[in-house]
Amino acid sequence: MTPTAAPEAAPDAAASEAVPAPSAARASAAAGGGPVVRTQKLSLTFQTADGPVYALSGIDLTVEEGDFVSLIGPSGCGKTTLLRVIADLEQPTDGDIQVNGVTPHQARLERAYGYVFQAAALYPWRTIERNVTLPLEIMGVPQAERRARAAAYLEMVNLAGFARKYPWQLSGGMQQRASIARALCFDPDLLLMDEPFGALDEIVRDHLNEQLLNLWNTTGKTVVFVTHSISEAVFLSNKIVVMSPRPGRIADVIETDFPPDRDLDFRETQAFIDVAHRVRMGLRQGIADDD
Amino acid sequence: MTTDAQVTPAPADAAQRGRLRAGLDRAVQGRALPIATVSLAIVLLWYALAVWLNADLQINRFERADQSWTFGELVLATWAQDRPMLPAPHQIVAELNKTVFQTGITSVRSLVYHSWVTLSSTLAGFAIGTLLGILLAVGIVHARALEKSLLPWIISSQTVPILAIAPMIVVVLGAIGLNGLIPKAVISMYLCFFPVAIGMVKGLRAPDPLQMDLMRTYSASRWQTFWMLRWPSSLPFLFASLKVAIAISLVGAIVAELPTGAQAGLGARMLAGSYYGQTIQIWSALVAASVLAASLVGVVALGERWAHRRMGAQP
């Protein structure tokens, strides 16, 4: 890891050049109108050999531009499935969903989002730099610009010196940061993250949470973040969606108004503890319903 | 006194012994020592077998010549026959020396010439077979219909004994005017496309679901997914298949020379040897074939290492 770099120091001049200034992004969020993601009575049922599995049932969710929305719930509550439906990796069986005002399929074709998976999913035969530029290659960006953008975003995730390394030469946390740089480098307005830090130890996780919050503050991107960690959800989000399993549904939606420049110590404050308590209650309710 | 000296050896002595020990460990752990041991055992066994198998004939010969013999004479004689049941290793080495180094490489008596004839059809068959195998695998991976229709045929093609089908291929191709190298290359191809096709189907499907999903989130085309993900993922499988393919491609070329009455090639050399009871000639052709096979596999392994390094694999 890179313990020396303070999270505030992450983006330098090069990075902010490639990234829209936060104020501008916020302004466009206000001007842009409609929500980034809107679902109405969204349901998804998997037909399996053991009968139907109700992964999602009647999901009504709205994600506004510039939101940081966490989907939290126990395993099997459909939070990952919901994220995959937004990304057009799964097809809903019922209900409506729009991403940027169009179907998820159309949004995917327009490359509206960057997706960060549970595992870094770096291609082992590519250097870190070429992993980051993979989406740019696919989108036909010229090489000089690809390299400039890779440099900027690797700098942003504190991996500046690792461009020429191969994935196996990096720790798990560094690999995941590289995959975040990969998701950001084509500058999508929407970032979909599926338990990106789930496989990392808590110290690394805390550090990356701070970096991610800082990244969200500087870029003004819309983030939908799947997690099963209460403190992660409360610390990062301005909107927490508590889900419960069988069938996967929304149990509670909590909006918070925490200061944007909060650091890890904020988790000791009463405001944080109150919200965390409400999330825990929501989760417990979901489990109780199940039994 | 003496016990003391034994318990505490001088430091220099200990260091030397340590070095010796380390060297010995390296030799045991390395491949040199086991290979040398096994080779030596084989050679000893071979000489013993040569005595045993050739003794009857030799005793007969002694008796016909009314010659008295000792056991030592018998052993030496069994290792020096003209047409032994099993030639001794040094006889084969002498024959190899004569036909490889002492004969001009353009002569029909040169083993280098015959090896080249076989090698050329091996390489032609290998190239076509590899290409065919890759194309079949690409088709199978991308179209369900092709998997259902082609895969059973690909597998059943290998259940036909090559010895049965080789003469027919030669006759049919001969009827349409294709002779010499082409029929042999076709038989090599027939054998070696199979491991490539099977290995590549597995290899092109090697990317894990996450890696495939990633391509989908970028709305990558099939072509891009193929070149940027499927193809690089399949290379380890390709090289494993190629090692098998090149070895059986050589077998195919040799087999193809047997029923065709070919005038040249290692197979022809073996066949001629068996007609005239020239066992030494057969065995030297056999040795040449195995050296050739080992070198071909070695070349593929070198290619594998090169590709491995280019793809930044963990050493």
Side-chain angles (χ1 to χ4, degrees):
Chain A
M1 304 314 304
T2 50
T4 49
E8 303 90 87
D12 65 352
S16 51
E17 210 171 80
V19 177
S23 54
R26 300 279 189 203
S28 80
V36 177
V37 180
R38 167 179 279 162
T39 76
Q40 284 170 316
K41 297 194 166 33
L42 187 78
S43 295
L44 194 157
T45 308
F46 290 113
Q47 298 298 339
T48 71
D50 299 332
V53 172
Y54 302 98
L56 294 174
S57 167
I59 302 283
D60 291 321
L61 176 71
T62 306
V63 178
E64 300 291 345
E65 199 156 355
D67 267 351
F68 195 120
V69 175
S70 281
L71 307 178
I72 186 169
S75 29
C77 73
K79 53 194 192 297
T80 293
T81 309
L82 179 54
L83 199 70
R84 290 175 63 86
V85 170
I86 296 170
D88 189 39
L89 296 173
E90 304 283 356
Q91 303 307 317
T93 42
D94 202 12
D96 277 331
I97 174 165
Q98 290 200 320
V99 178
N100 288 339
V102 294
T103 63
H105 181 71
Q106 192 59 37
R108 177 168 68 82
L109 294 184
E110 287 166 7
R111 284 132 179 181
Y113 65 84
Y115 200 106
V116 179
F117 293 93
Q118 238 160 326
L122 300 171
Y123 291 179
W125 54 85
R126 284 175 168 252
T127 59
I128 294 302
E129 178 184 40
R130 296 204 55 230
N131 264 293
V132 171
T133 58
L134 176 74
L136 302 175
E137 272 177 59
I138 291 169
M139 294 165 197
V141 174
Q143 187 176 6
E145 195 186 336
R146 291 205 304 257
R147 305 195 92 168
R149 288 223 220 161
Y153 284 98
L154 283 175
E155 178 86 40
M156 180 186 276
V157 297
N158 287 329
L159 283 177
F162 296 89
R164 304 233 168 265
K165 300 279 188 212
Y166 284 93
W168 62 269
Q169 293 169 298
L170 270 61
S171 70
M174 293 162 102
Q175 290 187 15
Q176 199 53 278
R177 279 188 284 157
S179 93
I180 292 170
R182 181 181 60 188
L184 288 171
C185 77
F186 59 100
D187 201 20
D189 292 328
L190 175 61
L191 202 54
L192 304 176
M193 307 180 88
D194 181 10
E195 293 186 42
F197 312 132
L200 306 176
D201 67 68
E202 205 168 340
I203 300 162
V204 175
R205 193 179 185 143
D206 281 352
H207 184 59
L208 291 185
N209 279 343
E210 262 188 334
Q211 287 190 331
L212 180 60
L213 188 67
N214 178 57
L215 196 112
W216 177 58
N217 277 325
T218 47
T219 60
K221 292 199 186 296
T222 310
V223 183
V224 182
F225 187 92
V226 166
T227 181
H228 51 221
S229 156
I230 294 173
S231 72
E232 195 171 67
V234 177
F235 178 67
L236 289 171
S237 335
N238 67 338
K239 192 168 178 179
I240 303 157
V241 176
V242 183
M243 296 183 68
S244 61
R246 285 173 293 269
R249 62 196 186 281
I250 294 177
D252 194 6
V253 178
I254 304 155
E255 300 208 20
T256 63
D257 198 11
F258 295 149
D261 59 343
R262 56 193 178 267
D263 59 14
L264 289 171
D265 292 335
F266 181 74
R267 295 184 303 186
E268 318 293 334
T269 63
Q270 194 56 44
F272 182 95
I273 292 168
D274 288 346
V275 173
H277 178 74
R278 193 173 149 193
V279 173
R280 191 169 291 113
M281 284 295 125
L283 288 171
R284 198 171 292 169
Q285 189 59 42
I287 302 285
D289 287 354
D290 197 38
D291 297 332
Chain B
M1 278 297 282
T2 47
T3 46
D4 273 359
Q6 273 167 353
V7 171
T8 54
D13 190 26
Q16 196 182 3
R17 229 189 276 178
R19 261 201 305 281
L20 197 73
R21 187 65 181 268
L24 204 66
D25 281 351
R26 253 202 312 281
V28 172
Q29 277 159 8
R31 282 192 274 179
L33 193 61
I35 289 179
T37 311
V38 172
S39 307
L40 188 67
I42 290 175
V43 168
L44 289 177
L45 191 69
W46 193 330
Y47 271 107
L49 269 176
V51 172
W52 183 49
L53 289 170
N54 301 336
D56 282 351
L57 194 73
Q58 194 57 45
I59 291 168
N60 246 328
R61 234 177 249 176
F62 280 139
E63 280 169 357
R64 244 182 290 155
D66 251 346
Q67 201 178 333
S68 64
W69 48 276
T70 64
F71 181 71
E73 282 169 345
L74 174 71
V75 167
L76 287 179
T78 55
W79 291 342
Q81 291 176 347
D82 266 349
R83 296 174 181 185
M85 186 90 76
L86 179 66
H90 69 264
Q91 290 178 289
I92 298 167
V93 169
E95 169 80 4
L96 279 172
N97 180 40
K98 197 177 82 187
T99 52
V100 172
F101 298 108
Q102 312 295 327
T103 316
I105 54 166
T106 51
S107 159
V108 290
R109 304 178 72 83
S110 165
L111 212 50
V112 178
Y113 164 75
H114 290 286
S115 298
W116 167 246
V117 169
T118 304
L119 180 66
S120 54
S121 59
T122 300
L123 292 180
F126 174 70
I128 307 168
T130 300
L131 199 67
L132 178 67
I134 292 174
L135 289 178
L136 284 171
V138 170
I140 286 169
V141 166
H142 285 93
R144 268 239 166 272
L146 283 183
E147 174 170 20
K148 292 212 164 127
S149 55
L150 281 182
L151 211 53
W153 285 106
I154 290 174
I155 291 166
S156 55
S157 76
Q158 301 301 305
T159 62
V160 180
I162 191 66
L163 271 174
I165 208 169
M168 290 192 282
I169 291 176
V170 173
V171 168
V172 168
L173 290 178
I176 58 170
L178 296 173
N179 294 302
L181 184 137
I182 292 171
K184 292 198 288 174
V186 167
I187 291 164
S188 284
M189 178 208 77
Y190 184 88
L191 283 180
C192 84
F193 88 94
F194 180 72
V196 175
I198 298 296
M200 281 305 275
V201 166
K202 207 168 157 57
L204 292 173
R205 286 191 176 145
D208 63 47
L210 233 51
Q211 291 176 325
M212 292 296 287
D213 278 348
L214 188 69
M215 279 296 182
R216 218 174 123 79
T217 66
Y218 304 141
S219 334
S221 66
R222 275 189 165 201
W223 183 251
Q224 288 170 326
T225 305
F226 182 83
W227 280 114
M228 293 182 185
L229 177 57
R230 287 191 190 273
W231 178 255
S233 303
S234 73
L235 285 184
F237 294 83
L238 177 64
F239 278 107
S241 300
L242 288 185
K243 281 191 211 161
V244 179
I246 192 118
I248 59 172
S249 185
L250 179 66
V251 170
I254 291 172
V255 166
E257 286 162 354
L258 295 179
T260 57
Q263 297 302 304
L266 291 173
R269 191 84 174 149
M270 289 176 201
L271 198 65
S274 78
Y275 280 154
Y276 303 112
Q278 297 284 1
T279 44
I280 301 179
Q281 182 184 321
I282 299 177
W283 278 92
S284 56
L286 211 72
V287 170
S290 25
V291 168
L292 199 57
S295 333
L296 288 174
V297 173
V299 168
V300 175
L302 277 181
E304 184 179 25
R305 260 178 49 191
W306 176 80
H308 217 65
R309 213 168 304 154
R310 282 229 31 202
M311 290 173 62
Q314 196 164 356

